[in-house]
Amino acid sequence: MRFRTALATLLLTTVALSGQPAVAAAPATIAHAQRTQTWKLVLTNGNVVQVPEALTEAPDDAANAGARAPFLVSGDGRHFFYFRKSDGLFVERTLSGGERVVSPRLTASSINEEWPLVSNDGGYVVTGTSAPGMGIFADLRKGKVLPPPGGTDAWAFAGFSPDSDRLLLAGERLTVFDRGLRARTRLKTSLSPTALANDHVTAAVPVGTWRKYRQLRLLDLRTGRASGTVTVGLPRGQYIDDLDFDQAGRVIVRSRTATGVAVYRVSTTTGKATPLRKITRPDVEVWVLPGDSTYELWTEKAGQAPRK
């Protein structure tokens, strides 16, 4: 979900993140987060920001003690989110600001029972849950946690639009909601899209076997019409691991490689995959790119099984 920053050549300089931030004057965003013993942010200017306040694992009294604690970066690379050590609350932060609690309901005790997902602008957080349905809907712009739409949590999250103004949820019908959770478009379909464009009508649907997707279709959420299936011209052994739209409405694919991640712009008529960038995975236990969900295939080192 939602990758827009490039990783600069790293000239690692440690920057403290306490009091008034030292990096406020630098026009840098977050290139990626990485974890060894603690979490760190690697910026696009090469600086490294320590985040010792962030939990790395669920505490002993959590339902899943020892499970990896989520750490997320918004797609624009300007916001980061973590469960803080002091009280276990899930908080949002920028490089130039202090912590802001997302919702007092979202705590470290729910790690691996509830999974936060962040909009591209870092201003909206939703959570999926281990039970069917959704947890919280938090609009950080307005400082509100909203009740689930329709009075039911029986939704599945399908995606944010890149402009962060719409959410696509799946239930009995695919429904596009605005940030106030007012329904804008509804469609009954058997297709399962995973991305919504900025026109708030076009959705992208991966086609094939899970984790080995190499094809896609576009779906018009207003008319219900779907395009023909397009085979994406990825290199052999690579698959559509993440499907999204950019701000201009072009389809973007991220694909795990032997050394990290490759990002492509894909023609929805020919399937041609134009390489945009390749990112080499740092030699750390865990890393997170802007726009990642709680777990992505490239999060782990090659050959390492996903941690529960």
Side-chain angles (χ1 to χ4, degrees):
M1 290 173 210
R2 330 322 174 249
F3 177 80
R4 295 175 51 197
T5 55
L7 180 59
T9 300
L10 300 182
L11 303 174
L12 298 183
T13 305
T14 300
V15 178
L17 188 60
S18 60
Q20 293 299 317
V23 296
T29 57
I30 301 165
H32 74 268
Q34 63 185 46
R35 197 201 79 188
T36 50
Q37 297 300 312
T38 60
W39 282 101
K40 302 175 183 178
L41 302 173
V42 179
L43 308 186
T44 50
N45 63 5
N47 288 344
V48 174
V49 175
Q50 306 281 350
V51 193
E53 305 90 344
L55 278 172
T56 59
E57 295 182 343
D60 292 341
D61 60 353
N64 297 286
R68 177 190 302 166
F71 191 107
L72 298 177
V73 179
S74 60
D76 63 9
R78 300 181 184 279
H79 305 256
F80 55 104
F81 299 76
Y82 56 87
F83 289 93
R84 65 185 178 194
K85 292 178 180 178
S86 60
D87 56 10
L89 291 175
F90 192 64
V91 298
E92 175 269 346
R93 195 165 187 177
T94 65
L95 295 173
S96 59
E99 294 175 332
R100 179 167 50 161
V101 174
V102 172
S103 167
R105 291 168 43 197
L106 186 55
T107 71
S109 64
S110 69
I111 290 173
N112 260 21
E113 298 292 332
E114 198 163 3
W115 296 275
L117 299 147
V118 176
S119 64
N120 185 70
D121 69 354
Y124 211 104
V125 176
V126 300
T127 60
T129 68
S130 56
M134 304 286 292
I136 67 164
F137 295 83
D139 186 344
L140 300 183
R141 284 187 196 167
K142 296 185 176 181
K144 291 183 177 180
V145 176
L146 303 172
T152 175
D153 63 358
W155 296 98
F157 179 75
F160 288 106
S161 58
D163 61 12
S164 304
D165 285 341
R166 295 290 188 272
L167 300 79
L168 179 60
L169 302 182
E172 290 185 3
R173 297 175 183 270
L174 277 174
T175 306
V176 176
F177 291 96
D178 63 19
R179 294 176 73 103
L181 299 183
R182 294 175 289 265
R184 299 298 185 177
T185 306
R186 300 180 193 271
L187 176 68
K188 192 171 180 109
T189 177
S190 60
L191 297 177
S192 300
T194 60
L196 176 67
N198 271 349
D199 64 6
H200 307 152
V201 172
T202 306
V205 184
V207 176
T209 303
W210 180 64
R211 286 199 172 181
K212 291 192 175 181
Y213 296 122
R214 291 183 64 90
Q215 298 176 312
L216 63 84
R217 302 176 74 182
L218 296 183
L219 175 65
D220 188 313
L221 297 171
R222 193 170 287 152
T223 66
R225 295 193 185 99
S227 70
T229 300
V230 175
T231 299
V232 179
L234 295 172
R236 184 174 182 179
Q238 287 183 222
Y239 301 98
I240 301 171
D241 295 321
D242 183 83
L243 185 59
D244 201 6
F245 291 92
D246 65 11
Q247 296 289 349
R250 296 167 296 200
V251 172
I252 303 297
V253 163
R254 290 195 291 175
S255 179
R256 181 178 182 172
T257 69
T259 59
V261 184
V263 185
Y264 302 90
R265 182 175 62 245
V266 176
S267 167
T268 55
T269 54
T270 66
K272 180 181 178 181
T274 302
L276 298 180
R277 63 188 69 87
K278 291 183 178 180
I279 306 162
T280 301
R281 190 193 193 288
D283 186 21
V284 294
E285 184 177 356
V286 180
W287 73 320
V288 176
L289 291 168
D292 276 0
S293 59
T294 304
Y295 175 78
E296 303 283 1
L297 285 175
W298 51 80
T299 301
E300 307 286 351
K301 289 184 178 180
Q304 185 176 353
R307 289 183 58 188
K308 301 298 185 182

